[in-house]
Amino acid sequence: MNTEIEKRKNEIKEKVNNLFEIFKEAVQITLAVCPEWKVSSANVNVDGAEISISLKECSDFYMKILYNKGDELVKESFDVRVTGGCTFNPLDDDSNTANYYCSVADIIQHKRMLKTLKEYMISSINVYRAFFKEYTSLES
Amino acid sequence: MKNSVETKKEEVRKNIENMFESATKKIQNIISVCPDWFVKDVSPGYRSLIVYLKLKDVAKDMRMEVRYQSKVDGIHDESFETNIATCGNFGLLDESDNLKYYTAVGDVLNHKDMLSALKEIMVFYTKKITELQKEYDKLDKED
């Protein structure tokens, strides 16, 4: 009996790891319309999901996309966090900062891609929640 | 003698004002390819010029600054720079001022020809205004 429970728990762990991998790949494919970006990390938890993307040319320049499922107290949100402002030469083709802000503008104008990204985040959270629920019940 | 210096100083002051007015019009004209922005102000610095661009049709005061600094031996190298505000977190699918701001910033940065023209005009007016300021300072010493 205990062995079966442990076996199922291990299966769930494996499925969760696969879910994370699939989620990251799906995000990378969805983001392909904005070729300047690559996915640095993509995490899912029971309340939300967080994607960190950075410029292919310079990984120090990144932005975070956050989805929060919300509850009775907190409203659902799908936000972006752009890194801090600084001074730079807008005519310097090699300026990563100038490229960064151009690439940010590119992403926020791709509304259809963003909707798809949000859907992926929601569906991955739902799958994760189901696994989490099952895992928790096996533990108790 | 003093009266003629005062008259000359008044003329130079007027010329400086006209120069700013002319610079603002020219810059507004150059910026018109990015219709989300208008020129809020053109200000002088020490042998430099700062253009404040303000985003149209938003509740918040959302700006972008473009600064040209001419070379001043031993103090400044020549530079042409911009400064972008920080907006924190904002919704990706909602219509918001922050979203408009970053979209409009991207529009400006993608217009390299416009930025080159803006730099040229800022170089020109920085030089002219600096010359007038020097003339004014000289008259001030004579006064």
Side-chain angles (χ1 to χ4, degrees):
Chain A
M1 174 82 178
N2 275 345
T3 317
E4 269 181 31
I5 289 173
E6 283 308 312
K7 198 178 159 192
R8 180 61 190 151
K9 277 168 73 179
N10 282 334
E11 270 175 19
I12 293 171
K13 275 184 200 164
E14 207 161 294
K15 284 185 177 183
V16 166
N17 283 336
N18 286 342
L19 171 72
F20 289 159
E21 262 176 51
I22 291 165
F23 176 59
K24 192 174 175 181
E25 276 169 28
V27 172
Q28 188 66 70
I29 291 165
T30 310
L31 271 176
V33 290
C34 300
E36 307 86 2
W37 296 97
K38 66 172 185 197
V39 180
S40 306
S41 66
N43 298 310
V44 182
N45 59 53
V46 283
D47 305 316
E50 183 180 312
I51 299 164
S52 183
I53 58 174
S54 61
L55 280 188
K56 279 182 187 163
E57 297 294 317
C58 181
S59 55
D60 290 344
F61 287 84
Y62 65 93
M63 68 193 268
K64 282 185 189 291
I65 298 171
L66 313 145
Y67 175 77
N68 195 307
K69 214 168 158 55
D71 51 33
E72 290 86 356
L73 296 172
V74 185
K75 234 174 106 181
E76 180 202 34
S77 64
F78 180 53
D79 288 346
V80 65
R81 188 184 304 149
V82 177
T83 54
C86 60
T87 303
F88 60 96
N89 180 353
L91 281 171
D92 180 3
D93 287 333
D94 296 328
S95 163
N96 284 319
T97 314
N99 294 338
Y100 175 72
Y101 285 111
C102 288
S103 304
V104 166
D106 187 31
I107 283 215
I108 61 183
Q109 287 176 91
H110 274 91
K111 297 290 180 203
R112 198 182 295 175
M113 180 276 285
L114 289 170
K115 279 180 188 163
T116 308
L117 199 59
K118 184 182 172 187
E119 279 166 21
Y120 272 132
M121 289 169 107
I122 294 171
S123 62
S124 299
I125 293 162
N126 289 338
V127 174
Y128 180 80
R129 280 167 88 107
F131 284 136
F132 184 80
K133 200 176 166 188
E134 190 186 346
Y135 191 91
T136 315
S137 70
L138 289 171
E139 276 213 312
S140 55
Chain B
M1 179 73 182
K2 271 201 169 180
N3 273 347
S4 73
V5 172
E6 278 306 317
T7 312
K8 186 69 187 151
K9 275 171 73 181
E10 188 53 43
E11 265 176 36
V12 176
R13 258 199 298 262
K14 205 171 273 182
N15 283 344
I16 292 174
E17 269 174 37
N18 289 341
M19 205 58 85
F20 273 112
E21 210 173 291
S22 165
T24 306
K25 277 183 192 161
K26 287 241 166 67
I27 291 166
Q28 184 66 69
N29 197 29
I30 289 170
I31 290 293
S32 63
V33 291
C34 300
D36 302 315
W37 298 97
F38 72 92
V39 180
K40 170 85 176 161
D41 194 25
V42 178
S43 301
Y46 182 63
R47 297 194 196 177
S48 65
L49 213 59
I50 306 163
V51 175
Y52 295 96
L53 299 177
K54 192 174 180 297
L55 197 59
K56 286 180 195 168
D57 305 323
V58 292
K60 282 200 259 179
D61 183 15
M62 307 197 85
R63 293 172 179 208
M64 175 174 181
E65 291 174 23
V66 184
R67 179 190 172 96
Y68 171 74
Q69 172 70 58
S70 64
K71 186 176 166 64
V72 183
D73 283 331
I75 307 173
H76 297 294
D77 284 330
E78 187 194 38
S79 62
F80 179 64
E81 290 177 330
T82 186
N83 195 290
I84 312 290
T86 309
C87 296
N89 286 15
F90 57 92
L92 270 167
L93 292 171
D94 316 319
E95 284 301 317
S96 72
D97 290 354
N98 292 338
L99 209 62
K100 275 185 197 164
Y101 179 72
Y102 282 115
T103 306
V105 164
D107 190 29
V108 166
L109 295 177
N110 278 312
H111 274 92
K112 296 290 180 200
D113 289 349
M114 180 277 286
L115 288 167
S116 296
L118 181 63
K119 184 183 174 185
E120 263 177 45
I121 213 80
M122 289 176 83
V123 171
F124 174 82
Y125 279 102
T126 303
K127 196 177 166 203
K128 289 283 174 199
I129 292 165
T130 303
E131 280 169 8
L132 287 168
Q133 281 167 340
K134 275 184 187 170
E135 193 183 339
Y136 187 89
D137 290 345
K138 200 177 155 194
L139 290 166
D140 211 24
K141 279 177 190 164
E142 284 174 22
D143 200 3

